[in-house]
Amino acid sequence: MTPSQGLAPPPRFWRSLAFRLSAGYALAGFVLVSLAAASLYFMLLSGLERSTDEFLADKLHVLRTMLRERPDDLDGLREEIELESAARRYEHFYIRLLDEKGDPLLTTPDMAEEVDLTQFARETQGTPERTIPVKGSHGQSFRIAKAQAQVGTVGSHSDTIQIAIDVSQQEKLLARFRLWFWSILLATSAVFPVVGYFLARHGTRPMEEIAATARRISSTNLKERIDAEGFPLELSSLAGTFNKMLDRLQESFERISRFSADIAHDLRTPVNNIRGEAEVALARARTVDEYREVLESSLEESVRLSDLIGNLLFLARTESPLVHLRWEQVNVTELLEGLREYYEAPALEAGISLRTRAGGGPVVARLDRILMQRAVDNLISNAIVHTPPGGTVELATCIEGAIIRIDVRDTGAGIPAEALPKVFDRFFRVDPSRSQASGGTGLGLAIVQGIVSLHGGSAEITSQPGLGTTVTLRIHRNATS
Ligand SMILES: Nc1ncnc2c1ncn2[C@@H]1O[C@H](COP(=O)(O)OP(=O)(O)OP(=O)(O)O)[C@@H](O)[C@H]1O
Ligand SMILES: [Mg+2]
């Protein structure tokens, strides 16, 4: 058990995505509702204040006009004011007119009762025509203002108008609004986190399904797939990527298990042969020649076995990320010429014409000479094995920009189209019985591909049954991996 398995701390709720999403959702909702309600409140407040101020300004204007036009008609003035004030159900207003000395000339009924007149004078001192909020004698809310009014038109003096308007109804409206505001805010704080949590849980459920599927997967159970039906777009693409990864894993696992079965099979055949021959030989007394024959056959099988094991080890090495290549400048034209000379005798024996095609000058590239020699060697031996007498095997190399290209072309039996995509697979043989007889293990082309991949290049095969096969290797001229 690893430490992380044994001592993993229990997941903390506040670290969960559901918590973070719902907290963010609740906070955003809270801020939004607060901002909306606060701006509504302040709009209402300033609207009410403005309409009160306008009303007061309006009244002052009427009173001033009357005082200017009819300075002696105080009774008419009083009547006018009382009529208007009485006509208002709410927002009663009160007016007091003071002469130059500050003695009251006219006061609307109840004004002295409702408003503290000394406070009035104190509050409005030095702030003419500005409305000021004050509390009335019975706790009501007032807005008060003071203004000078010219009496008569010529050589006139001015009186002071004191005006107060009862804004208690407005205050009640604002208080109701504040109550509504706090209630909504309270409800938001309670409802948003819950709704946010359920939304987040609902949104993250597909992830739990992905995790559950991942938990069910093991090397023996790679058939599990995520059913992304109904998933949100982002997660269905994640599920699709995950499923594709599982496809690749499953394919790799199947290839590996096929490979193991093939190894076992290919190792068993020569071992069984050696064993069978030894058992038969030991069943009774044999002549020296018979023993020699058995030993020769055993040696042949042992060579096959050791070749197979050698090839497998070599393949495993080509796949290791730690493999070291001995990079050097290699004259590929010379390398092909050397191999042609090496295979001259066996080709002659098989009745095959083996030749190199002269390109337009030497082809030089940075390669691992030994490995590349081995790759081309495998291709030539394949070509010779599968080309009937009278045929031709041609080796060619040329430069294509930054790439060097090596072709091994034969006029042999060719490979059926359906087998072509598999010839680079390990242990694949088009005709296993024929290859078995010729000693082929089916690893030659896999090794070629491994070597070319180590050079960062590619191997390609084209073939026409009955006409011949061409294998093309392409490698970067200055490849370092
Ligand atoms: N030039 C070719 N012409 C026709 N068939 C070929 C040619 N090269 C390869 N093949 C086919 O591809 C199969 C795989 O080739 P590969 O070199 O990997 O294995 P092998 O030659 O059978 O065994 P090994 O190379 O390990 O001794 C061969 O068995 C053969 O059927
Ligand atoms: Mg081969």
Side-chain angles (χ1 to χ4, degrees), residues 60-172:
L60 282 174
H61 177 72
V62 172
L63 289 176
R64 275 182 176 140
T65 312
M66 287 179 77
L67 279 172
R68 195 171 59 243
E69 303 297 328
R70 290 181 284 155
D72 303 321
D73 188 11
L74 275 183
D75 288 336
L77 192 63
R78 177 177 296 124
E79 204 174 321
E80 170 81 26
I81 294 166
E82 281 174 8
L83 264 177
E84 182 145 356
S85 182
R88 295 174 71 88
R89 191 154 166 229
Y90 303 114
E91 298 182 350
H92 289 293
F93 68 95
Y94 303 92
I95 285 171
R96 199 156 80 122
L97 194 63
L98 305 171
D99 64 13
E100 272 180 314
K101 291 189 224 102
D103 295 330
L105 292 172
L106 179 158
T107 309
T108 49
D110 304 336
M111 181 167 183
E113 257 178 55
E114 299 292 342
V115 188
D116 181 346
L117 293 172
T118 32
Q119 185 197 9
F120 195 125
R122 201 175 54 241
E123 295 281 351
T124 55
Q125 204 169 24
T127 54
E129 299 204 23
R130 282 245 336 261
T131 63
I132 297 158
V134 293
K135 279 284 164 208
S137 315
H138 306 298
Q140 322 92 302
S141 301
F142 281 95
R143 285 185 80 80
I144 58 172
K146 178 186 83 175
Q148 293 305 118
Q150 189 187 331
V151 182
T153 44
V154 276
S156 54
H157 60 276
S158 63
D159 287 351
T160 301
I161 304 169
Q162 291 179 332
I163 182 164
I165 179 162
D166 185 345
V167 290
S168 300
Q169 286 303 323
Q170 291 183 9
E171 284 296 330
K172 277 186 193 152

Side-chain angles (χ1 to χ4, degrees), residues 378-379 381-382 386 440-445:
N378 281 359
L379 298 180
S381 73
N382 277 354
H386 295 98
T441 57
L443 293 176
L445 287 179

Side-chain angles (χ1 to χ4, degrees), residues 16-297:
S16 73
L17 191 59
F19 171 78
R20 289 176 191 191
L21 283 175
S22 52
Y25 181 69
L27 191 69
F30 188 81
V31 170
L32 259 175
V33 170
S34 306
L35 281 178
S39 52
L40 270 179
Y41 178 79
F42 286 110
M43 266 163 63
L44 179 67
L45 183 69
S46 73
L48 288 173
E49 278 181 2
R50 197 169 54 244
S51 80
T52 306
D53 289 352
E54 278 168 8
F55 176 78
L56 287 180
D58 211 30
K59 286 294 134 237
L60 282 174
H61 177 72
V62 172
L63 289 176
R64 275 182 176 140
T65 312
M66 287 179 77
L67 279 172
R68 195 171 59 243
E69 303 297 328
R70 290 181 284 155
D72 303 321
D73 188 11
L74 275 183
D75 288 336
L77 192 63
R78 177 177 296 124
E79 204 174 321
E80 170 81 26
I81 294 166
E82 281 174 8
L83 264 177
E84 182 145 356
S85 182
R88 295 174 71 88
R89 191 154 166 229
Y90 303 114
E91 298 182 350
H92 289 293
F93 68 95
Y94 303 92
I95 285 171
R96 199 156 80 122
L97 194 63
L98 305 171
D99 64 13
E100 272 180 314
K101 291 189 224 102
D103 295 330
L105 292 172
L106 179 158
T107 309
T108 49
D110 304 336
M111 181 167 183
E113 257 178 55
E114 299 292 342
V115 188
D116 181 346
L117 293 172
T118 32
Q119 185 197 9
F120 195 125
R122 201 175 54 241
E123 295 281 351
T124 55
Q125 204 169 24
T127 54
E129 299 204 23
R130 282 245 336 261
T131 63
I132 297 158
V134 293
K135 279 284 164 208
S137 315
H138 306 298
Q140 322 92 302
S141 301
F142 281 95
R143 285 185 80 80
I144 58 172
K146 178 186 83 175
Q148 293 305 118
Q150 189 187 331
V151 182
T153 44
V154 276
S156 54
H157 60 276
S158 63
D159 287 351
T160 301
I161 304 169
Q162 291 179 332
I163 182 164
I165 179 162
D166 185 345
V167 290
S168 300
Q169 286 303 323
Q170 291 183 9
E171 284 296 330
K172 277 186 193 152
L173 178 71
L174 289 171
R176 271 207 305 278
F177 190 99
R178 282 194 297 273
L179 184 69
W180 172 85
F181 170 65
W182 289 117
S183 315
I184 292 277
L185 221 55
L186 206 70
T188 306
S189 340
V191 170
F192 267 57
V194 178
V195 173
Y197 182 74
F198 278 104
L199 283 178
R201 289 287 299 169
H202 182 72
T204 52
R205 187 152 305 138
M207 290 194 237
E208 283 165 23
E209 283 179 38
I210 294 176
T213 309
R215 273 196 296 275
R216 284 198 300 274
I217 285 166
S218 66
S219 60
T220 50
N221 178 22
L222 280 166
K223 291 205 173 69
E224 288 282 347
R225 294 292 179 274
I226 298 160
D227 179 10
E229 185 73 30
F231 275 21
L233 208 61
E234 300 83 348
L235 292 177
S236 81
S237 106
L238 175 69
T241 312
F242 192 78
N243 282 344
K244 281 202 193 101
M245 183 194 76
L246 287 177
D247 288 344
R248 286 196 300 273
L249 269 181
Q250 189 177 6
E251 201 194 304
S252 303
F253 266 90
E254 280 170 4
R255 232 193 0 247
I256 289 169
S257 58
R258 247 197 335 267
F259 182 46
S260 315
D262 286 342
I263 293 178
H265 177 265
D266 275 60
L267 289 176
R268 200 177 52 186
T269 313
V271 171
N272 277 352
N273 288 349
I274 295 171
R275 182 181 163 180
E277 281 172 10
E279 277 172 358
V280 170
L282 290 173
R284 59 178 171 84
R286 303 274 174 190
T287 63
V288 172
D289 282 348
E290 281 173 335
Y291 281 128
R292 175 182 291 278
E293 209 176 294
V294 170
L295 280 177
E296 276 171 3
S297 166

